[in-house]
DNA sequence: AAGATTTATGATACAGTATATCATACCATC
DNA sequence: GATGGTATGATATACTGTATCATAAATCTT
């Protein structure tokens, strides 16, 4: 992620935050930038380290978790539960709807590819759920993969 | 899960273990039974408690994790990463292929419904993965849901 | 602008999940 | 019954996440 695009992503993120009555405070911005600069999903602790390196500023892990909560609520960040790490949304600038995203997560290096899913696939994925008495909370799929480099 | 079906599941599990050159030792059997008797996914620690209650026997958590590893390798047990808990496979007795299972996981009570997915859906889910240079490791999807009871 | 209210962050403690490592026991087969 | 492999126990510790109380910063009200 180069600097130019990071800046435009951040300003878009700021706009989105304001729309939802939230503020992209300096601390939140630093956390988001740290995530954008990484090509991998990072744990909350790794994020705190990244912010420390990038901005020479220590943030308590507790704050990182709180900030991640806010950023996830705003759909600016996604949690990869299969590795307990967090990744910035790849589509912040593109007025996405977050219909049903698939995440290919490298089990080894934690690189993540986010793929948008089309409407018919969404229907297939949602099929049976209501009939079984379940209610879908989160339209997000994580797939356990190996990336090209790690697959050798 | 009634007792009759648990017994038949266990004997099937035993057969499957032997096929793969693994043994379903008494301890592993107890862990698997505890999982089968639960209608929810359980953490390793909860599992140790269940075995304690059910069989009046304390197993160190370390052992539970090791046993879970073996049972997962044998596809007798699945990890629900979105809640960090483990659940027995619903299809042990039915000569399943584990083509692509979807798991509906109640975010509140951790009940799990395992759904088999048909071939065409599998194709859709696997689409794009290779083109993006990723290799799928695990044909398993977890969906964050609420069950009927918890949805109110 | 002073005070009151809300929101964000800091500090500390601790709970819950998971692995590393070394030791011991069990089991097979020769 | 010695040997080697597999399974389990014991202990320590790392990693992930939350609870709670305190403080600071922004916002609102009068």
């Amino acid at each position: 992620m180069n600097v130019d695009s990071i800046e435009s992503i951040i300003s878009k993120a700021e706009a989105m935050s304001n729309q939802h009555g939230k503020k992209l405070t300096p601390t939140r911005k630093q956390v988001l930038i740290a995530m954008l600069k990484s090509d991998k999903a990072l744990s909350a602790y790794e994020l705190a380290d990244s912010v420390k390196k990038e901005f020479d500023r220590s943030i308590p892990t507790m704050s990182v978790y709180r900030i991640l909560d806010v950023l996830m609520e705003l759909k600016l960040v996604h949690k990869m539960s299969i590795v307990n790490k967090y990744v910035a949304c790849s589509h912040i600038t593109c007025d996405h709807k977050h219909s049903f995203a698939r995440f290919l997560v490298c089990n080894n290096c934690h690189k993540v590819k986010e793929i948008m899913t089309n409407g018919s696939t969404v229907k297939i994925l949602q099929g049976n759920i209501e009939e079984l008495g379940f209610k879908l909370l989160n339209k997000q799929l994580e797939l356990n993969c190996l990336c090209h480099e790690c697959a050798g």
Side-chain angles (χ1 to χ4, degrees), chain A:
Chain A
M1 195 77 61
N2 66 49
V3 179
D4 272 11
S5 52
I6 285 186
E7 277 178 13
S8 60
I9 291 170
I10 289 293
S11 63
K12 174 74 182 182
E14 206 148 13
M16 284 172 64
S17 305
N18 293 335
Q19 269 176 37
H20 289 81
K22 300 263 174 187
K23 271 160 297 185
L24 197 64
T25 64
T27 316
R28 290 173 185 171
K29 202 179 287 190
Q30 288 179 343
V31 170
L32 184 53
I33 290 172
M35 299 184 81
L36 289 165
K37 289 201 176 175
S38 167
D39 61 337
K40 323 181 161 176
L42 298 174
S43 74
Y45 289 80
E46 290 167 339
L47 262 172
D49 290 347
S50 295
V51 170
K52 174 75 182 149
K53 277 193 194 116
E54 188 73 28
F55 302 102
D56 193 30
R57 180 186 168 206
S58 291
I59 306 182
T61 326
M62 182 70 260
S63 292
V64 176
Y65 277 108
R66 277 188 294 228
I67 287 168
L68 286 171
D69 284 342
V70 173
L71 296 176
M72 284 192 286
E73 208 186 316
L74 292 167
K75 309 276 191 188
L76 297 169
V77 161
H78 304 291
K79 175 170 186 180
M80 300 295 104
S81 295
I82 48 180
V83 291
N84 294 320
K85 293 177 190 290
Y86 305 83
V87 69
C89 177
S90 309
H91 305 112
I92 294 179
T93 50
C94 63
D95 276 321
H96 54 324
K97 291 268 169 148
H98 278 286
S99 65
F100 220 123
R102 271 182 301 166
F103 296 90
L104 310 183
V105 184
C106 177
N107 210 35
N108 185 244
C109 72
H110 309 127
K111 212 174 297 164
V112 176
K113 274 260 195 297
E114 182 176 352
I115 317 175
M116 286 314 206
T117 304
N118 65 38
S120 60
T121 309
V122 171
K123 282 214 189 76
I124 290 169
L125 290 170
Q126 289 180 316
N128 301 81
I129 297 181
E130 278 113 25
E131 299 143 52
L132 289 165
F134 279 70
K135 191 165 163 272
L136 192 60
L137 285 184
N138 199 339
K139 298 182 177 183
Q140 169 173 334
L141 291 184
E142 300 170 36
L143 290 167
N144 198 283
C145 297
L146 279 182
C147 74
H148 187 60
E149 288 76 33
C150 294

